[in-house]
Structures are given as C-alpha cells and as structure tokens.
C-alpha cells in the first residue's frame, strides 16, 4: 500500500509542480501582458498626445495658412486694384500722349502761322515806317501852311487897316463878306455904282496880298461865292447867286490891270473860282431866325493847299485801313 501511496505522492507532486509552473507561466504571461498593456497604453497615450499636438499644430498651421491666404487675397486684391489703376493710368497716358501729339501739331501750325504773321508784320511795319515818315513830312508842311494861313489873314487885316478900309475878315477862314444890298439892287445881278466903288477899294488889296510871291506857292484858289435869302424858288435863287458872284468876278478881271502885273493877272485867272449857293447857309440872328438882309451876300475868300494835303492824308489813312482790313480777312 505504501508503494502506491508513494506513487500517488509523486504523481501529486508532479502535477503540483506542473501547476506551479503553469501558474508561474501564467503569472509571467500576466506580467508580460501587464507590461505589454502598460507599454501599449503608454504608446497609445503618447500617440494620442502626439496626435493632439499634431492636430493642434495642424490647426495652428491651418490658421497661419488661412491668415497667409487672407493676406495673399488682400495683396492679390490690392495688386488687382493696382493693376487696374495702372491700366487706367496707361489709358490716360495714351490719351495724354495723343493730346500732346495733337497739341504739338497745333503748336507747329501756330509757329508757322506766327512766322508768316511776323513776316507780314515786318513788311507792314516797314510800310508803316515809310508812311509815318511821309505823314510826318506832310504834317510839317500842313503845320507850315496853317501858319501861312494865319499869316495871310493877318497881312490882309494890316493892309486894309493901312488903307483905312473898314472890312470884316473872318479870323479863321480869311473870308471877306460883301453886302449884296449895297452891291446890287433887289432881285438884280448887275453891279451898282456904289458896289463897283466898294470893289475898287477891296479887291485890289485882297488880291495883291494873296498874289505875293511868298504866298502863291501855298495858294490853291481865290473863291467868290454868291448867296441869296430864303425867299423864292431855289433854282431861281441859284441862278441869281451865280450871276452875282460872276458879276463880281468879271469886274475883278476888268480892273485887275490897274493893280496887278501881267504875270499876276494870269495867276489870278488860274486861281479864280466862282460859285453860286442859292439860299444855302443863311445867316441867323440872335433869336435863331433867318436874317434875310445879311443872308444876301457875296463872299470873297481863299483856300490854301492845306486842304489838298489833308485830303491826301485822308486817302493815305483810308488806304492803311483798307490794307489792315484786307490783312485781317
């Protein structure tokens, strides 16, 4: 029985050893599993932490990228705006270049026109200088003749005063007025004896002064003008005034040999002019009414060459105005 018991004990021990070994193995497995699980948990935690860090970093990168993208978008918008501004400025610059080109062409045309106008002005200035010199010369001659006219009028007054002949000589024109009521009967043109006596006193002095050598170079005309009053027909009065002035002129020619030389007589015929003015230029009294007695008159007067020179000056000035008008057109 003991043998058997010993065998049972041995068997029991083997299983016990095996059981202990398996328990040890199991414990080792459990320990390994625990270590493995711990390592796995640690790795998992580290992975989660690393993932979270990566996610955080990714989010940060995403935010930075978004910020950079927004900045890029803004810069792109600014660049687009600047591009549009540049394009607009390019268009304006092209327009300005075209405008400058047009202005340059216009300036060239204006310079050409100015050169032409300068040449025209230069020619006109030369012509003006010549005419100015001519006008100055003629003005000097006119001034001299105007002085001569005053000198002639003064000489006439002095000669009449020296001869004790009382006459009315106009201080501006040198005209001498003869009363037709003394010279002629009413409505007649034949000289009365009294009229002839008056003419014999007046005409020699008047003509001798005018036909002096100092004055003949300036003398243009010796004029006899006849006038009537305002009564009657104009045509008849024209005829009457002409005949009366002609009667005075004829009487002057009849008696000229008594006081003029042959040369002076010829000069008198060259200078003598006779006119009839009918009822024109009547004489008015202080109240403005026609003085019929004073209106019936014969005037003896002279004209110097200043009138001709003034007319010539007017023609020159008219020519200048016409030339200026043609230049403007």
């Amino acid at each position: 029985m003991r043998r058997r018991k010993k065998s049972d004990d041995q068997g029991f021990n083997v299983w016990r050893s095996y059981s202990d070994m398996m328990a040890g193995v199991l414990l080792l497995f459990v320990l390994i599993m625990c270590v493995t699980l711990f390592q796995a948990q640690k790795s998992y935690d580290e992975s989660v932490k690393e993932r979270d860090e990566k996610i955080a970093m990714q989010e940060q990168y995403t935010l930075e990228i978004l910020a950079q993208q927004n900045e890029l978008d803004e810069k792109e918008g600014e660049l687009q705006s600047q591009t549009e501004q540049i394009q607009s400025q390019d268009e304006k610059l092209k327009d300005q270049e075209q405008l400058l080109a047009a202005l340059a062409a216009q300036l060239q045309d204006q310079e050409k026109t100015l050169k032409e106008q300068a040449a025209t002005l230069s020619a006109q200035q030369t012509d003006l200088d010549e005419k100015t010199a001519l006008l100055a010369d003629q003005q000097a001659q006119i001034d001299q003749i105007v002085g001569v006219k005053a000198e002639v009028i003064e000489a006439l007054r002095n000669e009449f005063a020296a001869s004790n002949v009382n006459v009315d000589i106009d201080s501006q024109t040198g005209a001498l007025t003869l009363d037709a009521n003394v010279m002629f009967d009413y409505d007649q043109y034949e000289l009365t004896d009294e009229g002839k006596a008056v003419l014999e006193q007046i005409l020699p002095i008047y003509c001798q002064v005018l036909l002096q050598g100092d004055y003949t170079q300036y003398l243009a005309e010796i004029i006899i003008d006849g006038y009537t009053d305002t009564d009657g027909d104009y045509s008849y009065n024209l005829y009457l005034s002409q005949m009366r002035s002609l009667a005075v002129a004829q009487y002057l020619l009849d008696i000229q040999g008594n006081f003029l030389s042959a040369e002076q007589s010829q000069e008198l015929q060259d200078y003598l002019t006779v006119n009839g003015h009918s009822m024109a230029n009547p004489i008015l009294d202080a109240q403005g009414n026609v003085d019929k007695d004073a209106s019936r008159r014969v005037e003896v007067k002279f004209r110097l060459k200043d009138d001709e020179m003034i007319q010539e000056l007017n023609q020159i000035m008219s020519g200048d105005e016409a030339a200026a008008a043609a230049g403007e057109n």
Side-chain angles (χ1 to χ4, degrees), residues 246-293:
L246 183 59
V248 174
Q250 185 61 55
Y251 190 74
L252 172 60
L253 294 175
D254 291 341
I255 64 174
Q256 65 178 339
N258 300 331
F259 56 88
L260 294 178
S261 65
E263 182 180 354
Q264 288 176 327
S265 295
Q266 183 59 48
E267 289 176 347
L268 176 62
Q269 294 177 28
D270 293 336
Y271 292 130
L272 190 59
T273 301
V274 179
N275 299 308
H277 297 280
S278 185
M279 58 181 68
N281 300 323
I283 303 299
L284 304 180
D285 58 20
Q287 288 72 36
N289 299 318
V290 175
D291 187 337
K292 295 182 180 180
D293 289 336

Side-chain angles (χ1 to χ4, degrees), residues 15-16 25 54 80 109 113 137 143 158 180 183 245 259-260 277 281 287 290 300 307 319:
W15 285 107
R16 188 177 180 179
V25 171
K54 288 182 178 180
Q80 181 67 26
D109 293 339
T113 302
D137 181 62
D143 292 339
N158 292 336
M183 306 297 298
S245 60
F259 56 88
L260 294 178
H277 297 280
N281 300 323
Q287 288 72 36
V290 175
V300 181
D307 294 337

Side-chain angles (χ1 to χ4, degrees), residues 157-224:
R157 287 182 168 181
N158 292 336
E159 287 297 323
F160 280 113
S163 302
N164 293 320
V165 178
N166 186 19
V167 294
D168 182 18
I169 297 179
D170 188 281
S171 60
Q172 300 296 323
T173 64
L176 185 152
T177 301
L178 303 173
D179 188 353
N181 298 308
V182 175
M183 306 297 298
F184 307 97
D185 292 329
Y186 183 77
D187 203 24
Q188 299 297 317
Y189 54 81
E190 292 181 0
L191 287 169
T192 63
D193 293 338
E194 186 180 2
K196 291 178 182 180
V198 171
L199 293 178
E200 286 176 359
Q201 283 185 317
I202 294 176
L203 293 181
I205 298 173
Y206 201 88
C207 292
Q208 284 175 334
V209 172
L210 290 176
L211 295 176
Q212 290 181 19
D214 294 338
Y215 300 144
T216 52
Q217 61 177 322
Y218 302 107
L219 186 62
E221 286 182 303
I222 297 175
I223 305 168
I224 300 176

Side-chain angles (χ1 to χ4, degrees), residues 30 33 45 102 133 138 195 200 223 244 269 274 302:
V30 170
M33 288 297 294
D45 292 340
Q138 291 183 341
E200 286 176 359
I223 305 168
R244 284 181 172 178
Q269 294 177 28
V274 179
F302 66 92

Side-chain angles (χ1 to χ4, degrees), residues 128-146:
L128 180 61
D129 291 340
E130 294 175 354
K131 290 183 177 180
T132 300
L134 177 61
L135 289 175
D137 181 62
Q138 291 183 341
Q139 184 62 49
Q141 296 181 43
I142 289 175
D143 292 339
Q144 182 180 4
I145 290 175
V146 171

